[in-house]
Amino acid sequence: MLKGKNVLLCVTGSIAAYKIAELASRLVKLHCNVDVIMTKNATNFINPITFETLTGNKCIVDTFDRNFQFNVEHVSLAKKADCVMIAPASANIIGKIANGIADDMLTTTVMACKCKVMISPAMNTNMYDNPIVQDNIARLRRFGYEVIEPDSGYLACGDTGRGKMPSPESLLWYILKETAYEKDMKGIKLCVTAGPTREAIDPVRFISNNSTGKMGYAIARMAMLRGADVTLASGKVDVPPVPFVNIINVISAQDMYDAVTEEAKNSDIIIKAAAVADYTPLNVSDNKIKKKDGDMSIALKRTKDIIGTLGEHKKEGQFICGFSMETENVIANSKDKLIKKNMDMIVANNVKVAGAGFGTDTNVVTIITGEDNIELPMMSKEDVASKILDFIMAKRR
């Protein structure tokens, strides 16, 4: 995902410095080239050899170190970097950069950077809340630096409050968002649905399906990485939330209908990947239905047709993509839905095909429009999501 990308990690004197070793390792596993600069104070918390072992590159500490190739090192690192992350960022380094002080390798390099610079403060709560520190953070934001809000929690000093550096996984997402893909979807508002709905029978029982939400979440994730402004309407799933995405949690088909029809008013693209119930109980009991002798039947009624409503009220220039999960006559049934519900595209698959359907990390789909039937081989759901977005973007041009 990050092959050919160069990330510069800048580590300052904070107990959280040890966490950046994991971040460096994760980046390298994604085939990223990682350079590390440390302040001298940071070397009291973690040895530079750790980063050199993980990245395969010399860890720079001394501005006047003569043991590297002949060039102006702080300028060359700045030019090479696709993005810079200062983490953990101490109050001292924040103050220096905010006020134009460049007196060590880290600050001189940052001053020479034209790429995105992200700063993750990590310090005692009282230090973080100090008005001088807050003013310096505000200055950095005005100058175009991205300041990552610290987490709240138990700190190394024993206090509890703001000032905790986010996890390496969270920091990685900031880097991925900035560097992983070209921002060809920047400025586009995308609404995507994911997961199952639950239709209540009584307070303890419901009707649902086997959707895990993985396909919809993959679409939301890939669109976010490509710069789209994403809203994800999600049923109950056991999938990690997608960062930097507006998530609307829904339960029933009616909840999903309400959320999507409202979001559709301002959406450029709508991708309906959720498995929404077609039927819901006609009557919902206020109390648990007691077991009785013999069989029991539940009267059902149709839920509102979300994609049909969207197609009927489609705005000019809006692109609607649906999903069709079938067990027979996949292409014919999907084409009928495409035309009947006024969609621009439908993604069809057969749950009986190996590697497709619910619960898998892969999918096997056919992308169908009025003119095209494009069969894709089995691939990861992230790759399927990318193909779907590629096709939509090509059609919108």
Side-chain angles (χ1 to χ4, degrees):
M1 186 179 288
L2 293 177
K3 188 174 183 179
K5 301 295 184 179
N6 296 288
V7 171
L8 177 59
L9 298 179
C10 299
V11 185
T12 75
S14 166
I15 188 63
Y18 76 93
K19 296 182 181 179
I20 303 304
E22 182 182 342
L23 176 59
S25 177
R26 284 174 176 250
L27 288 167
V28 170
K29 288 176 181 176
L30 293 172
H31 309 290
C32 181
N33 178 73
V34 181
D35 289 295
V36 180
I37 298 176
M38 300 178 70
T39 63
K40 288 184 178 180
N41 285 341
T43 63
N44 292 315
F45 293 96
I46 185 169
N47 196 300
I49 295 173
T50 302
F51 291 113
E52 291 175 348
T53 303
L54 291 170
T55 67
N57 292 325
K58 180 174 176 59
C59 181
I60 308 299
V61 178
D62 186 355
T63 308
F64 300 104
D65 185 354
R66 303 302 301 166
N67 295 315
F68 51 74
Q69 63 184 9
F70 182 74
N71 54 24
V72 183
E73 189 73 1
H74 69 281
V75 174
S76 65
L77 288 174
K79 285 183 176 179
K80 183 170 70 169
D82 292 300
C83 75
V84 176
M85 176 169 283
I86 306 172
S90 63
N92 180 55
I93 212 73
I94 288 171
K96 284 183 177 182
I97 297 171
N99 290 279
I101 298 171
D103 63 353
D104 61 7
M105 190 63 184
L106 192 156
T107 51
T108 52
T109 302
V110 170
M111 291 295 173
C113 285
K114 288 190 174 181
C115 65
K116 182 70 167 285
V117 178
M118 295 170 277
I119 298 175
S120 180
M123 64 196 75
N124 169 268
T125 299
N126 293 333
M127 290 180 67
Y128 183 73
D129 290 335
N130 185 290
I132 298 173
V133 173
Q134 287 300 309
D135 186 63
N136 286 331
I137 288 173
R139 284 173 61 86
L140 288 172
R141 287 193 169 115
R142 288 200 304 273
F143 292 140
Y145 294 85
E146 180 172 6
V147 180
I148 300 168
E149 287 292 327
D151 289 343
S152 295
Y154 182 79
L155 306 176
C157 61
D159 290 345
T160 299
R162 292 195 303 170
K164 184 177 181 181
M165 190 179 76
S167 68
E169 181 179 8
S170 296
L171 296 179
L172 176 62
W173 275 112
Y174 279 89
I175 294 171
L176 290 173
K177 179 169 71 79
E178 180 62 27
T179 62
Y181 293 94
E182 295 298 321
K183 302 300 180 280
D184 63 329
M185 297 186 73
K186 187 175 179 61
I188 290 176
K189 291 184 178 295
L190 169 70
C191 176
V192 59
T193 69
T197 59
R198 293 181 175 183
E199 309 305 315
I201 298 171
D202 61 24
V204 297
R205 301 181 182 93
F206 56 83
I207 300 169
S208 190
N209 57 63
N210 292 322
S211 174
T212 60
K214 288 183 177 181
M215 190 67 246
Y217 272 62
I219 294 169
R221 190 161 50 247
M222 299 310 293
M224 175 274 292
L225 291 173
R226 290 168 67 160
D229 179 1
V230 181
T231 294
L232 172 61
S234 174
K236 282 189 171 291
V237 297
D238 187 21
V239 180
V242 183
F244 314 113
V245 161
N246 174 36
I247 298 180
I248 302 173
N249 293 307
V250 304
I251 302 295
S252 67
Q254 183 63 49
D255 295 338
M256 184 72 81
Y257 179 93
D258 293 340
V260 175
T261 53
E262 181 63 29
E263 285 299 317
K265 296 174 184 177
N266 299 306
S267 296
D268 302 304
I269 300 171
I270 303 167
I271 304 177
K272 189 177 168 295
V276 179
D278 294 320
Y279 293 89
T280 190
L282 182 63
N283 298 298
V284 180
S285 175
D286 292 333
N287 298 301
K288 179 184 176 183
I289 299 172
K290 304 302 290 183
K291 182 170 61 177
K292 300 176 182 178
D293 292 335
D295 297 330
M296 183 183 78
S297 62
I298 300 172
L300 301 175
K301 63 180 180 180
R302 281 297 308 267
T303 56
K304 290 182 179 178
D305 185 350
I306 299 174
I307 201 78
T309 300
L310 296 175
E312 184 179 350
H313 297 93
K314 183 166 63 172
K315 301 184 304 178
E316 184 178 353
Q318 191 173 62
F319 193 100
I320 299 177
C321 172
F323 270 68
S324 175
M325 184 169 281
E326 303 286 348
T327 57
E328 59 182 359
N329 301 322
V330 175
I331 303 300
N333 288 341
S334 299
K335 280 191 172 181
D336 285 345
K337 290 180 184 178
L338 177 76
I339 297 167
K340 181 180 178 182
K341 302 194 178 183
N342 195 29
M343 289 182 274
D344 298 284
M345 187 171 100
I346 193 163
V347 180
N349 66 359
N350 187 335
V351 294
K352 292 182 178 180
V353 172
F358 294 134
T360 65
D361 291 325
T362 59
N363 211 344
V364 183
V365 306
T366 301
I367 294 175
I368 301 171
T369 67
E371 305 82 28
D372 303 292
N373 284 4
I374 301 173
E375 294 184 17
L376 299 181
M378 184 173 69
M379 57 182 69
S380 71
K381 286 185 173 173
E382 282 74 17
D383 287 340
V384 172
S386 291
K387 293 291 185 183
I388 291 169
L389 295 174
D390 287 345
F391 204 84
I392 292 173
M393 292 302 293
K395 286 290 184 181
R396 290 184 81 245
R397 289 192 182 99

